[in-house]
Amino acid sequence: MPIVDEPEAPLAPGLYLVATPIGNLGDITLRALDVLKKADRIACEDTRQTQKLLNHFAISTPTTSYHQHNERQRSSELVDALKAGARIAVVSDAGMPGISDPGSWLVNAAIAAGVPVIPIPGANAALSALDASGFSTEQFHFIGFLPEKAGARRTRLEDLAAQPRDAAQTLIFYEAPHRIVDTLSDLESVFGPALRVVTARELTKIHEEFLRGTVAEIRQNLAARDRIRGEFTLLIEAPAKT
């Protein structure tokens, strides 16, 4: 598909899902900056976090909070504004809104109201990690965050392990630094110590780190550290199961 150089034009009314950098501010797109500048309002997962980004690029568009605790109520307010012709951008703290972050509820409400929904592509931790993992990109399954409680997490992994697969498939998770070792331990118990694993930590940042090996090797590496920092994207090569 050829690249289209759009002329300078007013922003059309609608809901804009704007991807923001997952670490390196240089990863924001020119189109994302244009939308954030021209929108009537920016709905943010955390207005304080987004304000840092806006200040860096000298963007003065008003912001409003839109997070997991108020998204149903705030969606109603935002859809009313959209139906009246507003141009509203939605951002998460990092990456693509609606992908393991608030946004999906508003998207569905906007679609139901007949409001245009426009994705503004950009950085995404899951796809960035997959691209550099060395695992198959032909078949992959994005899981997102596993349950926080140990029992529910173990049950979820057992369900994933039991699913039939004609060939090995890449499974992608997000995990917090304080839970990564426990999650790797559960993976080792459920899938076995030889399970091939990749962890991607602090993607696009100064201390970006990929670890590749068996789940036993990666668990031992991380467990030996005094402190683990940074959010993780965790990928496993789930074996074929018939």
Side-chain angles (χ1 to χ4, degrees):
M1 180 180 294
I3 296 174
V4 177
D5 186 11
E6 294 287 352
E8 186 71 18
L11 195 65
L15 179 66
Y16 292 81
L17 308 174
V18 183
T20 54
I22 57 177
N24 191 317
L25 289 178
D27 289 337
I28 197 162
T29 69
L30 295 177
R31 189 179 178 207
L33 291 175
D34 185 62
V35 169
L36 293 176
K37 289 175 182 177
K38 293 179 178 178
D40 298 308
R41 197 184 332 175
I42 303 171
C44 316
E45 182 181 7
D46 185 335
T47 55
R48 296 165 299 180
Q49 186 69 22
T50 299
Q51 198 60 53
K52 297 175 186 177
L53 176 71
L54 300 181
N55 290 344
H56 182 83
F57 290 104
I59 297 173
S60 58
T61 305
T63 61
T64 187
S65 66
Y66 179 79
H67 48 72
Q68 63 176 337
H69 302 297
N70 74 354
E71 61 179 332
R72 296 192 181 191
Q73 174 188 351
R74 190 54 52 86
S75 289
S76 178
E77 300 170 12
L78 293 173
V79 167
D80 286 343
L82 287 164
K83 289 165 66 176
R87 304 162 304 173
I88 296 177
V90 180
V91 299
S92 63
D93 288 349
M96 197 73 192
I99 307 299
S100 290
D101 277 322
S104 295
W105 189 273
L106 179 56
V107 168
N108 289 328
I111 291 172
V115 173
V117 177
I118 304 100
I120 308 299
N124 175 270
L127 293 181
S128 298
L130 173 64
D131 213 23
S133 68
F135 287 168
S136 172
T137 59
E138 295 298 319
Q139 293 190 54
F140 62 91
H141 183 186
F142 174 68
I143 311 297
F145 284 99
L146 290 164
E148 294 185 15
K149 294 185 177 180
R153 181 174 62 239
R154 180 69 174 263
T155 298
R156 179 72 171 113
L157 291 176
E158 289 172 345
D159 289 342
L160 290 170
Q163 291 179 2
R165 286 177 291 273
D166 294 334
Q169 183 183 48
T170 305
L171 306 185
I172 309 173
F173 309 88
Y174 288 154
E175 193 53 277
H178 63 280
R179 289 194 301 268
I180 186 64
V181 173
D182 289 339
T183 296
L184 289 169
S185 294
D186 288 339
L187 283 168
E188 187 173 354
S189 297
V190 172
F191 286 90
L195 177 73
R196 292 181 64 205
V197 168
V198 174
T199 60
R201 184 179 67 87
E202 295 282 78
L203 281 170
T204 79
K205 300 179 183 179
I206 295 174
H207 300 294
E208 176 180 283
E209 178 186 42
F210 280 84
L211 296 177
R212 300 175 177 87
T214 68
V215 65
E217 292 168 343
I218 304 304
R219 177 188 57 76
Q220 292 167 7
N221 182 310
L222 292 174
R225 300 186 182 188
D226 293 333
R227 185 175 181 182
I228 302 174
R229 297 182 179 180
E231 298 299 317
F232 281 82
T233 302
L234 170 63
L235 305 95
I236 72 170
E237 188 178 61
K241 185 177 180 62
T242 56

